[in-house]
Amino acid sequence: MIAALARGRAGLMLASQSGLAAGLAWFVAHDLLGRPTPFFAPIAAVITLGSSVGQRVRRTAELVLGVAVGIGLGDGIILLIGTGPAQIGLIVLLAVLIATAVGGGTPLIVQSASSAVLVATLTTSTGQPWTRFLDALVGGGIGLAVMSLLLPLNPLTVVSRAADPALRAFTGGLHDAARGLAARDPDMIQAALERLRAAEGTFTAFRTAIEAARENVTFAPARWRARGALAQYVEGATQLTHSLRNVRVMIRRAQTALNDNEPVPDVLPSSIQHLGDAVELLRQEWDRGVEPLATRERALRAVAESGRAYQEGVGYSGGVVVAQVRTAVADLLRATGIEYAEATRQVRDAVGWHGRPHGARQRSRRPKQS
């Protein structure tokens, strides 16, 4: 029940936008433009608002273009060979082929085919199939006006809701991996890896939400003031994705280290635990809209712990784990707004390599073979 209420609350804005846009589209097309039955106007308005977030402008253009292609084909075929089942099949076939050939997405293909069918089946009763193009234009324009001017979404709310599950999954995977490495349990580490693989979907939704928010901020004057706060998400999403990929490599190597019975210093799982804490702190600080200082401190602590693990002695795969911790932390620091060179310098300082030549770095001290 609580989950259903939460989903309903999340969809309330879209429902309100759709209801307002559908009513306005019918009013404009019917009452102002004199269309007797402008059924395509409210449909186009709802389709525009229901399009994939971040692509509404493109989807509206595809919608209108699809209607134009369908109407043009329908008119041409009917003029040449009349109407009937064979003609409908031919019209749809040609509409889909043309929409696909020009590289259109699903909206263009669907609207081309459906508009062609409407023309082929309703032309004799309306006498003016071209008016469906006008309906689509009115509905698409009303949809854009509603989402941009009348009821614009809060871009920070959209992004925050998408970032939350992505960062929680990232944190959970790291914590699971740390516990598995501490317990020397390869199965726990495999479960953590699977969890992070599944998190790819939440990160995709996160990036999509960012595109929606950027579109919203661009076209909605009421949301222009959110540009500064949104920038931290926009700039951080790509770096977080890089960090996630490095962490997955790290976890696979941690599993290999256990399978090969390599030494695992206690500070190594502790380092991974701190990295998970840093991701969780980033989620919290982004949500509050504050400078992610605690995130940076905890991330650098993870690097320092990994350096201690290297000094205490790790095997080949353990050395890769240490290296991937450093790389993941560098990506995480960049997600907090630090430039590449500065992030690299801070990582080197934390691990104790500041001012030391590359060849002078202390190598791992592996236990002597008995």
Side-chain angles (χ1 to χ4, degrees), residues 35-228:
R35 289 277 291 116
T37 54
F39 59 88
F40 216 103
I43 290 175
V46 173
I47 289 175
T48 297
L49 290 166
S51 296
S52 297
V53 291
Q55 298 183 18
R56 283 175 169 176
V57 175
R58 175 185 172 183
R59 292 300 176 92
T60 301
E62 288 192 349
L63 171 69
V64 176
L65 180 59
V67 172
V69 170
I71 289 174
L73 281 173
D75 282 340
I77 296 297
I78 290 171
L79 180 64
L80 292 174
I81 58 177
T83 60
Q87 289 88 335
I88 292 176
L90 179 60
I91 290 171
V92 171
L93 185 150
L94 293 175
V96 172
L97 282 177
I98 292 175
T100 304
V102 299
T106 300
L108 177 58
I109 295 171
V110 171
Q111 294 307 322
S112 296
S114 60
S115 298
V117 171
L118 286 174
V119 169
T121 56
L122 299 180
T123 295
T124 55
S125 62
T126 63
Q128 291 181 320
W130 60 268
T131 53
R132 291 178 186 78
F133 176 77
L134 177 61
D135 290 345
L137 187 62
V138 169
I142 292 294
L144 288 175
V146 167
M147 79 169 193
S148 301
L149 301 174
L150 301 181
L151 285 178
L153 294 173
N154 186 330
L156 293 178
T157 300
V158 171
V159 173
S160 178
R161 285 176 178 169
D164 189 81
L167 295 179
R168 286 184 185 275
F170 197 178
T171 298
L174 283 164
H175 285 168
D176 289 349
R179 286 191 290 268
L181 189 58
R184 299 191 66 87
D185 187 338
D187 292 336
M188 289 180 64
I189 293 182
Q190 179 62 33
L193 182 59
E194 294 297 331
R195 184 172 185 177
L196 289 178
R197 284 173 179 163
E200 287 283 359
T202 62
F203 270 80
T204 299
F206 179 27
R207 291 191 296 270
T208 301
I210 287 176
E211 290 303 314
R214 294 176 67 179
E215 176 185 88
N216 184 270
V217 167
T218 299
F219 292 99
R223 300 300 185 189
W224 285 352
R225 65 181 182 276
R227 288 174 176 172

Side-chain angles (χ1 to χ4, degrees), residues 250 271-272 275 302-303 306 320-330:
M250 175 196 73
S271 172
I272 298 173
L275 180 55
V303 169
S306 73
V320 175
V321 171
V322 171
Q324 290 302 125
V325 168
R326 295 197 299 266
T327 305
V329 166

